[in-house]
Amino acid sequence: MGGAFPRLNDAKKARRLVVVFGDQLDASFGPLADLDKTRDVVLMMETDEEQRYVRSHKQRTALFFSAMRHFAADLADSGVRVRYVCANDRGNLQSFDEEVGRAIAKLRPESVHCVHPGEWRVLRTVEAWRDRVPVEIHEDEHFFTPIDRFQSWAEGRKQFTMEYFYREQRKRFDVLMDSDGKSPLGGAWNYDKDNREAFKVTPNPPKPYTPRLTEITKEVLDLVEARYPDNPGSIEGFRWPVTRDQARRALDDFIEHRLRLFGKYEDAMWTEQPFLYHSLLSPSGNLKLLNPRECVEEAERAYEDGVAPLNAVEGFVRQWLGWREFIRGVYWTQGPDYPNRNGLDQHGTLPDFFWTGDSDMACLADCVGVVIDHGFAHHVPRLMVMGNFAMLAGVHPREVADWYLAMFVDAVDWASNPNTIGMSQHADHGVVGTKPYAASGKYISRMSNYCEQCRYKISKRTGDDACPFNVFFWDFLFRHGDRFEGNNRMAMMLKNAERISSEERVEITSSAASLRGRLGV
């Protein structure tokens, strides 16, 4: 590492071994808040096991490694004894379990401490360490809502309606509330109706803050390219904050330059504008470089100061105070087998173009291409283009979930799996959503300019030049119509499907089968 940060592999003994995972980079709570710098040792590990559990995007791996190394350097600078294991260290055993075992054997700690992991798989690994040494798992205070509080809220509910949860959160934390503490500012709990404009204006949105590459980051980028050459995605153009200071600057930049129009164009998509007015703060939030409280507080202050309108601020607050907390609660209340749910009984294979971007559908070529280039896309391409297509085509939800976990720089299991299995693929038997997010190509046409440059015809649902989204959408309703009988939110779609003649129904079904064969679904 050329002396970029202390390694401290020569510590002889530790009172407590404090294990810090790559998505826990906040020293203000948990076991890091009361370290004895003379007797405790912090262990941080880069392992091949974690980078190959799914085929991790090169920028995702680089973000984790660089942020971890900067965090370790800051701890060491403050006098903390840090045992840091690099991916390319000689002797690295390449798994959390074996590296912790090696540290226990060397340091003979009285106990091992860590913050509650963000994944069932890792939690099971941590719990197994109790066979060797006492282990204390500390609550993750980064979130607004402790897991047990969400469990109490969810108890007895057949469906977890996020809107009800979000309203309780607003009241509980007095966010965007009238002086009575019971009514929302502006008289409405959300402003989705004001946040659905297509982007058809100039000038271009302000470019998001992009930090300069540090020496540590440059070393990590070289390491990732050399060590994981077959992992997907491009390493070029890495632009993500890797320190607390950089993350704060990204938040301030968003509040000042893009929050004002974030709500209005929240659902819009546009070629050569992958970020529009979105914050790009989820990677920093999920690594704990940013605290959700400060994001909410800064947005609320922007409204009070007249920097941004209520519809924009409320939409941003809902992401942090509502949806993010809700999704985490779903993950931990539904159990470790949640990622294997397949409520629609779909078994297709994810097409190769999800890894290459090589598609003759303009929307998918652009959206997947952005993911390959940046390891990121905002929520509408994730849900209504890539996720919608996979669900309509009949891809197995676990394949889709593994792709999302692999390809997005902000992907951690507690966030990625419920968003994919529950919201995107409607595979969790309706826990997250009361209806599938199924839409034909008309939605994409309304919210983007993709269809203007596509060889397929958005007006057609049969024929060689029919929009594949249209073909798969109607075929999806034919295949699952019985399943959604009695679902009021699906009634209009199903009635429209019933009006299609038997001759055209056969043609659509045949076209869908041919499309699946051509795409390798």
Side-chain angles (χ1 to χ4, degrees), residues 51 57-67 217 220-221 224 235 238 242:
Q51 307 318 312
H57 193 296
K58 290 175 182 176
Q59 290 194 34
R60 177 176 181 262
T61 298
L63 173 60
F64 271 82
F65 283 5
S66 181
T217 298
V220 165
L221 295 177
V224 170
I235 200 73
F238 182 90
V242 295

Side-chain angles (χ1 to χ4, degrees), residues 45-66 68-69 84-89 92-95 219-235:
M45 304 160 282
E46 301 169 2
T47 68
D48 288 350
E49 178 183 63
E50 294 305 304
Q51 307 318 312
R52 289 172 175 154
Y53 170 63
V54 290
R55 294 176 60 207
S56 182
H57 193 296
K58 290 175 182 176
Q59 290 194 34
R60 177 176 181 262
T61 298
L63 173 60
F64 271 82
F65 283 5
S66 181
M68 289 167 64
R69 293 185 184 196
Y84 196 98
V85 184
C86 291
N88 57 346
D89 278 351
N92 185 338
L93 300 177
Q94 301 300 346
S95 80
E219 289 185 18
V220 165
L221 295 177
D222 290 342
L223 166 68
V224 170
E225 191 75 324
R227 190 171 185 84
Y228 309 109
D230 297 328
N231 279 25
S234 171
I235 200 73

Side-chain angles (χ1 to χ4, degrees), residues 116 139 145-152 328-329 332-333:
H116 195 290
E139 182 179 316
T145 311
I147 295 170
D148 57 359
R149 185 180 180 97
F150 188 90
Q151 287 173 329
S152 297
R328 178 176 180 255
W332 288 112
T333 57

